[in-house]
Amino acid sequence: MPDTLHLTVQHPRPDLAIASVAGDVDTRTADTLRREASGVIERGCPHLVLDLSGVGFCDSAGLSALIGLWHATQSVGGVLGLADVPDRLMRMLVLTGVDAVLPVHATAAEAVTAMTDSRSTSTSEHGSITGASTRGGTGEPSRVEPLACDSAHNPAADLS
């Protein structure tokens, strides 16, 4: 399924979504991921966990989409976290230094727990992405700062 990316979204809290992504995240599907996940953010769910266990391949366009989604969550006071990242993608995150910006968790449940702990203590940040597919995307990692999140806060994220 090289041209197809499937996304399944669950909402364990009103302001948090877990998106399970299945397929390849590459130049043909990265824009879809970014667009769909951005839609979840814009609908009032600023905290995203992206379960990547079903991702077979991710190229630079997919990495760019993940960074763009991190920016989108940050712009609305949310957080993005990655869960169950495949080994090849994890190596790419480490080689590019993106793992220092995007929190990576062993499981989606661990990411949700970290986000819940962060919300109650306001001392650390965790997040994740809602799965979707997109082509391309822009963005670059920057310094991460803990941000408070308000589920009523729902401005459209500027992803251009």
Side-chain angles (χ1 to χ4, degrees):
M1 74 162 92
D3 294 343
T4 306
L5 186 68
H6 296 283
L7 171 71
T8 305
V9 180
Q10 300 172 4
H11 296 274
R13 292 192 328 231
D15 65 340
L16 180 130
I18 300 171
S20 299
V21 181
D24 293 343
V25 185
D26 57 20
T27 57
R28 290 176 264 186
T29 62
D31 282 342
T32 304
L33 174 62
R34 190 171 191 184
R35 183 179 58 250
E36 295 297 321
S38 294
V40 172
I41 297 165
E42 292 167 2
R43 289 188 296 275
C45 198
H47 303 295
L48 298 172
V49 174
L50 188 57
D51 181 342
L52 301 173
S53 61
V55 172
F57 175 78
C58 183
D59 67 7
S60 61
L63 181 62
S64 181
L66 295 177
I67 294 167
L69 289 167
W70 176 80
H71 281 286
T73 59
Q74 294 291 299
S75 73
V76 295
V79 291
L80 170 66
L82 307 179
D84 206 350
V85 178
D87 290 340
R88 287 183 79 163
L89 177 52
M90 191 65 215
R91 284 193 296 276
M92 182 190 311
L93 295 174
V94 171
L95 284 171
T96 59
V98 174
D99 66 318
V101 175
L102 293 176
V104 177
H105 304 277
T107 65
E110 180 184 297
V112 168
T113 299
M115 292 172 85
T116 301
D117 291 347
S118 172
R119 186 176 183 203
S120 64
T121 63
S122 299
T123 60
S124 64
E125 80 180 81
H126 301 280
S128 33
I129 292 178
T130 311
S133 53
T134 58
R135 267 179 292 194
T138 59
E140 56 191 49
S142 61
R143 193 170 138 242
V144 177
E145 298 178 6
L147 296 174
C149 174
D150 179 1
S151 63
H153 185 64
N154 185 18
D158 178 16
L159 298 177
S160 42

